[in-house]
């Protein structure tokens, strides 16, 4: 991981009148206390970052959906004015990270490589395996007693197995790769930069070795699709593809698992909504959209302006940092009635939990299927599931872009 050097703010005095950002969640799925004031200032306001610079915070749903596809906003983390939300994030920033840290035309080329692998047909073919995995994990929890910690026992292994199966990672290599990915993200969020760097390097090395091996002995999976698009496969190609696989693994494993656990937490604290899902399983697909809207686990989408943009009576200047708060966009009262209320009957299709525009999450079809199967399985198999009153739900280690549940103790 290489350091990203941030430029100083072009209007330093603006920081004195802007609230500090990010803000920690007191509850894994509710808005931070300071978000109400930010929402009142929608659709665009200024916030102050850890280093004293200020950035634009986009909070309006319609305005955000118009801006996110704008080519004048760059996701290139190597830009000297790219906004970082904490010092650890700046120190560990990886310039030109595949898919999420590059712009078109490079981004479009990378995404085309994954179009078939993450398409609806390929994901639909994974359903039986995900269903078996959910059933086996549930069996193991029931056999172990009358309580479990759902992140470690259910959400994370389910998400990891689905991602690794789609990629085509051999079963014997999955535990080590999953452990390295989890270690890298956890240590990064805790500010242990040296150890996070070590886990990052180990993960890349393991992926490079896997790619080199699969080049000689092809299998079936997204990894093999990527190799097939890079013939002849050189050392530089292996390095680039390993980085892409790392992005897919960390996004597919951790983010999906945290979103699933946080959604379950929200449901368990809203028994009326949980009862509606138990009574009518056909509501689950729509409820998944509503839960992703409400929880908005990945809250901050970061960009930097490469040209002046006029929006909502403001001018975003070239070089200004721009942050899209998916939580505030997903709770915009101009877009949804009673936006802070969980309603499994709501039509929540305009949410931006997966982002929007060219950088919209490539794994969203897989995440939706995982969420639907995971919720349906638990509601059917463990109808008495409830939060464990003897243990507290633990939030994710405070991280600038990721909120939600790290541990979810339950009983039945």
């Amino acid at each position: 991981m290489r350091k990203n050097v941030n430029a100083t703010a072009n209007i330093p005095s603006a920081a004195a009148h802007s609230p500090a950002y990010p803000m920690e969640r007191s509850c894994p799925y509710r808005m931070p206390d300071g978000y109400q004031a930010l929402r009142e200032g929608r659709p665009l306001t200024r916030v102050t970052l850890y280093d004293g610079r200020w950035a634009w915070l986009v909070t309006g749903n319609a305005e955000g959906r118009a801006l996110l596809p704008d080519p004048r906003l760059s996701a290139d983390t190597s830009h000297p004015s790219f906004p970082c939300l904490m010092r650890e994030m700046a120190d560990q920033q990886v310039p030109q990270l595949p898919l999420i840290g590059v712009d078109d035309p490079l981004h479009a080329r990378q995404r085309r490589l994954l179009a078939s692998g993450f398409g609806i047909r390929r994901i639909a073919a994974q359903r039986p395996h995900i269903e078996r995995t959910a059933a086996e994990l549930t069996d193991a929890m029931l056999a172990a007693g009358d309580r479990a910690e759902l992140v470690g026992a259910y959400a994370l292994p389910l998400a990891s197995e689905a991602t690794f199966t789609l990629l085509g990672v051999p079963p014997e290599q999955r535990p080590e790769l999953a452990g390295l990915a989890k270690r890298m993200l956890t240590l990064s969020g805790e500010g242990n930069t040296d150890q996070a760097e070590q886990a990052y390097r180990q993960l890349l090395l393991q992926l490079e070795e896997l790619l080199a091996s699969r080049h000689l002995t092809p299998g079936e999976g997204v990894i093999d699709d990527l190799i097939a698009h890079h013939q002849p496969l050189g050392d530089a190609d292996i390095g680039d593809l390993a980085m892409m696989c790392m992005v897919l693994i960390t996004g597919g494993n951790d983010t999906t698992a945290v979103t699933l656990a946080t959604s379950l937490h929200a449901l368990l604290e809203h028994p009326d909504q949980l009862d509606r899902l138990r009574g009518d399983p056909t509501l689950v697909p729509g409820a998944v959209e509503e839960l992703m809207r409400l929880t908005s686990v990945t809250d901050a989408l970061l960009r930097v302006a490469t040209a002046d943009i006029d929006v909502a009576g403001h001018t975003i200047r070239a070089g200004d940092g721009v942050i899209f708060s998916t939580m505030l966009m997903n709770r915009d009262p101009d877009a949804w009635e009673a936006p802070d209320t969980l309603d499994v009957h709501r039509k929540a299709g305009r949410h931006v939990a997966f982002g929007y525009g060219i950088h919209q999450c490539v794994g969203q079809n897989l995440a939706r299927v995982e969420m639907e199967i995971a919720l349906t399985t638990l509601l059917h198999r463990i109808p008495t599931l409830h939060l464990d009153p003897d243990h507290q739900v633990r939030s994710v280690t405070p991280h600038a872009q990721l909120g939600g549940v790290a541990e979810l103790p339950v009983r039945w």
Side-chain angles (χ1 to χ4, degrees):
M1 302 185 187
R2 290 177 285 177
K3 292 187 178 182
N4 180 48
V5 179
N6 292 307
T8 56
N10 51 10
I11 309 178
S13 61
H17 308 288
S18 308
Y21 190 88
M23 301 175 182
E24 292 184 14
R25 305 186 190 195
S26 57
C27 167
Y29 63 85
R30 292 190 176 95
M31 292 197 308
D33 293 339
Y35 267 35
Q36 180 56 39
L38 294 174
R39 182 162 61 180
E40 291 171 357
R42 68 185 183 279
L44 203 67
T45 188
R46 286 172 172 167
V47 291
T48 304
L49 305 181
Y50 78 95
D51 56 2
R53 296 189 307 147
W54 65 267
W56 293 103
L57 185 73
V58 181
T59 61
N61 184 273
E63 292 77 11
R65 287 164 64 91
L67 282 170
L68 275 168
D70 196 312
R72 294 170 292 181
L73 288 175
S74 172
D76 183 0
T77 55
S78 66
H79 192 290
S81 295
F82 191 84
C84 288
L85 304 188
M86 58 175 59
R87 187 174 303 280
E88 294 84 0
M89 181 181 173
D91 290 344
Q92 299 174 48
Q93 194 67 268
V94 180
Q96 303 265 296
L97 196 64
L99 297 172
I100 58 178
V102 295
D103 300 320
D104 283 345
L106 177 57
H107 172 269
R109 290 199 298 270
Q110 292 176 346
R111 200 170 180 103
R112 278 196 296 270
L113 298 176
L114 300 168
S116 62
F118 282 85
I120 293 176
R121 286 187 180 181
R122 194 81 162 263
I123 302 304
Q126 297 294 317
R127 268 190 175 271
H129 180 69
I130 299 172
E131 289 171 346
R132 285 194 300 272
T133 302
E136 290 169 0
L137 291 170
T138 305
D139 288 341
M141 288 192 299
L142 292 171
D146 63 352
R147 67 189 70 191
E149 192 285 291
L150 274 184
V151 177
Y154 189 72
L156 188 55
L158 178 67
S160 298
E161 180 66 15
T163 301
F164 286 137
T165 300
L166 186 66
L167 290 179
V169 175
E172 64 272 15
Q173 293 182 252
R174 296 174 187 180
E176 184 175 7
L177 292 179
L180 286 171
K182 183 66 177 176
R183 179 175 171 81
M184 181 185 73
L185 292 173
T186 301
L187 292 170
S188 175
E190 294 174 350
N192 296 324
T193 55
D194 291 341
Q195 294 181 56
E197 172 84 15
Q198 184 181 18
Y200 163 78
R201 294 296 177 190
Q202 290 176 338
L203 178 58
L204 275 184
L205 179 60
Q206 293 286 335
L207 290 170
E208 289 170 357
E209 292 176 351
L210 173 59
L211 285 159
S213 172
R214 288 294 273 274
H215 181 222
L216 300 174
T217 310
E220 295 183 0
V222 171
I223 287 176
D224 304 284
D225 295 345
L226 294 173
I227 292 172
H229 284 291
H230 290 79
Q231 296 297 336
L233 187 71
D235 291 342
D237 295 320
I238 289 178
D240 290 343
L241 294 182
M243 288 286 289
M244 186 177 294
C245 290
M246 182 190 69
V247 170
L248 296 173
I249 289 170
T250 54
N253 292 8
D254 203 61
T255 306
T256 303
V258 170
T259 300
L260 171 57
T262 308
S263 297
L264 284 165
H265 181 213
L267 281 173
L268 292 171
E269 291 199 330
H270 293 80
D272 59 324
Q273 300 298 309
L274 190 59
D275 287 343
R276 292 179 186 181
L277 289 186
R278 286 195 176 109
D280 185 0
T282 65
L283 292 175
V284 170
V288 165
E289 302 300 324
E290 169 68 349
L291 288 162
M292 288 188 291
R293 178 197 73 83
L294 191 80
T295 59
S296 297
V297 163
T298 304
D299 185 21
L301 306 178
L302 309 178
R303 303 289 187 269
V304 60
T306 58
D308 291 357
I309 306 172
D310 292 322
V311 56
H314 301 281
T315 298
I316 300 173
R317 300 293 183 188
D320 285 354
V322 182
I323 304 166
F324 294 84
S325 170
T326 60
M327 175 165 273
L328 284 166
M329 289 173 63
N330 284 340
R331 296 183 182 225
D332 183 349
D334 295 331
W336 289 282
E337 183 179 353
D340 299 328
T341 300
L342 173 59
D343 181 0
V344 296
H345 289 278
R346 190 195 302 271
K347 304 299 182 183
R350 291 169 294 169
H351 73 77
V352 290
F354 290 115
Y356 189 72
I358 66 169
H359 287 92
Q360 192 169 26
C361 176
V362 70
Q364 61 181 297
N365 292 328
L366 179 60
R368 285 187 169 98
V369 168
E370 290 175 54
M371 291 275 290
E372 290 176 18
I373 291 172
L375 289 175
T376 300
T377 302
L378 279 184
L379 295 182
H380 174 68
R381 295 288 306 283
I382 314 180
T384 58
L385 189 72
H386 59 278
L387 293 174
D388 188 340
D390 297 328
H391 296 85
Q392 288 189 333
V393 174
R394 188 172 71 85
S395 296
V396 170
T397 300
H399 189 283
Q401 289 177 275
L402 191 68
V405 167
E407 293 181 1
L408 185 63
V410 295
R411 298 188 70 170
W412 49 84

